[in-house]
Amino acid sequence: MVAVHSTVLGPALGGCRVWTYDDPTLAVRDALRLARAMTYKAACADQPLGGGKGVIALPPGTRLTGRRRRDALLDFGETVDQLDGRYVTAEDVGIGSRDMPMIAQATRHVCGLATSRGGSGDPSPFTALGVEAAIRTTCAQAFGDASLRGRTVAVVGLGHVGSRVAQRCARAGARLVLADVDPAKRVLAERLGARWTTPARALTANVDVLSLCALGGQLDEAIVPRLRCRAIAGAANNQLATDAVAAQLAAREIVWAPDFVVNAGGIVNIAVEFEPSGYDAGLARRRVRAIGDTLAEIFAAADAERTTPLAAAVALGEQRLAAAAAAARAS
Ligand code: NAD
């Protein structure tokens, strides 16, 4: 299935995920929710893209392999093609780089292919670059200083993005606390001279910055009173269990950088594929660094309006969508 939430700013971009669902209606709900989140991510990052999402839903206990996988990917590609460019697909959970060329056999509306195929390749280094820029802006907001030298940063989740965030922070002079459910990731902690701990301990560690780079939903009403960090900025999607947690964090004077602003580096990078002159990694890096400026704008608006950074980020996205819709009506 494909969900298109908005094409007001441009073609709806969003990865395709292969995932198991107990019930097909849950898959529909997931696609709709994720497509909406992509709209706000692109709007806040000021990209000429809308929000969409693809889902190949599997019944519980099934795996998609061999001939069936090939057929499903081609079917999905045909579905994308029927939308005639209103939706552009990319990689997401459960889809590998070998799957994308298969989808691309059925439609040209695919992006994020390998650089050897003219695409923008792995988005993770760009996401990590954006997270570092966001951590610096969040430090400026919380401590009045964007430098990471001497700051303590806990990174929870050391996968494609988190491992790079940790390396970037170490290079910038931060002292690190690292955690992952996978004990093999301890090697990175040893290499960076970081303190290794469990994810539960890292979450409530006495640090300046907490960078959540694993799964979503880790910040709920029970954990907030136990947090000992002053600022939170990480790559994980949907970090807040509910929107009410944003107010709870603000009441404790913990600066939370909205996740969909922080982790936009991947789509900012992919959007460069749409440039008339084609993909350019240097241009992508310059644009990804601007995530720090966007976040500064959001913090300033939240302070001025006496609201949370979450509300200010949503308002910024809505403002850009309304302006583009008004411009389209006028032309
Ligand atoms: P990944 O799968 O490469 O890494 C996730 C890491 O988190 C793994 O090392 C895993 O062992 C660890 N992990 C899982 N559960 C954990 C837990 N409960 N506590 C601690 N560690 C745990 O994923 P990724 O590509 O690095 O993405 C990380 C997060 O950032 C995800 O939420 C993803 O949706 C989001 N994100 C990623 C990108 C990107 O460019 N890859 C872009 C935007 C958002």
Side-chain angles (χ1 to χ4, degrees):
M1 63 192 71
V2 170
V4 173
H5 176 261
S6 169
T7 55
V8 168
L9 293 170
L13 177 78
C16 170
R17 60 173 49 178
V18 177
W19 201 248
T20 50
Y21 294 91
D22 290 337
D23 182 325
T25 56
L26 296 176
V28 174
R29 207 177 296 163
D30 212 19
L32 292 171
R33 181 180 63 87
L34 293 164
R36 180 178 183 278
M38 289 304 292
T39 298
Y40 283 91
K41 188 180 291 200
C44 283
D46 209 9
Q47 298 301 301
L49 295 169
K53 202 76 191 179
V55 171
I56 299 177
L58 305 178
T62 51
R63 285 183 60 220
L64 203 53
T65 52
R67 182 73 196 244
R68 282 184 66 225
R69 187 171 188 93
R70 206 184 83 98
D71 289 348
L73 293 169
L74 287 173
D75 278 354
F76 180 76
E78 284 166 14
T79 307
V80 172
D81 208 56
Q82 280 171 20
L83 290 164
D84 209 17
R86 284 189 289 273
Y87 168 68
V88 181
T89 197
E91 258 182 59
D92 197 62
V93 186
I95 288 263
S97 52
R98 276 186 305 184
D99 295 324
M100 293 316 285
M102 191 68 73
I103 296 175
Q105 280 182 25
T107 181
R108 64 191 175 85
H109 304 297
V110 171
C111 60
L113 290 173
T115 40
S116 58
R117 290 172 169 267
S120 55
D122 179 8
S124 312
F126 295 89
T127 306
L129 178 63
V131 174
E132 186 199 349
I135 290 176
R136 286 178 183 278
T137 300
T138 310
C139 283
Q141 176 73 7
F143 310 108
D145 180 2
S147 169
L148 299 186
R149 188 151 299 282
R151 290 259 167 257
T152 46
V153 181
V155 184
V156 183
L158 302 167
H160 290 96
V161 180
S163 61
R164 289 182 167 95
V165 169
Q167 288 171 72
R168 287 189 157 278
C169 290
R171 229 177 292 144
R175 283 176 291 130
L176 297 174
V177 176
L178 301 183
D180 196 293
V181 284
D182 178 0
K185 300 289 164 75
R186 188 178 190 139
V187 177
L188 180 68
E190 280 159 14
R191 186 153 64 78
L192 298 178
R195 184 153 72 81
W196 173 258
T197 187
T198 63
R201 287 213 175 107
L203 210 56
T204 55
N206 189 5
V207 289
D208 294 320
V209 183
L210 176 62
S211 186
L212 298 173
C213 294
L215 306 175
Q218 287 194 306
L219 299 174
D220 59 22
E221 290 182 13
I223 199 78
V224 174
R226 299 178 49 222
L227 294 175
R228 288 189 292 162
C229 58
R230 291 271 309 279
I232 305 176
N237 275 311
N238 305 322
Q239 291 170 21
L240 305 185
T242 65
D243 284 1
V245 174
Q248 214 188 342
L249 287 166
R252 281 212 55 206
E253 296 186 8
I254 296 172
V255 181
W256 179 71
D259 42 19
F260 57 93
V261 177
V262 175
N263 68 18
I267 62 153
V268 171
N269 178 51
I270 273 187
V272 177
E273 288 186 25
F274 295 84
E275 288 294 317
S277 50
Y279 180 68
D280 171 356
L283 177 61
R285 275 191 288 274
R286 283 198 296 282
R287 287 187 179 169
V288 170
R289 285 196 190 96
I291 286 174
D293 303 330
T294 305
L295 193 56
E297 237 181 87
I298 288 167
F299 287 143
D303 287 346
E305 303 286 326
R306 292 172 173 273
T307 182
T308 63
L310 174 64
V314 170
L316 174 66
E318 275 167 0
Q319 205 179 303
R320 288 191 171 145
L321 288 164
R329 275 196 301 276
S331 68

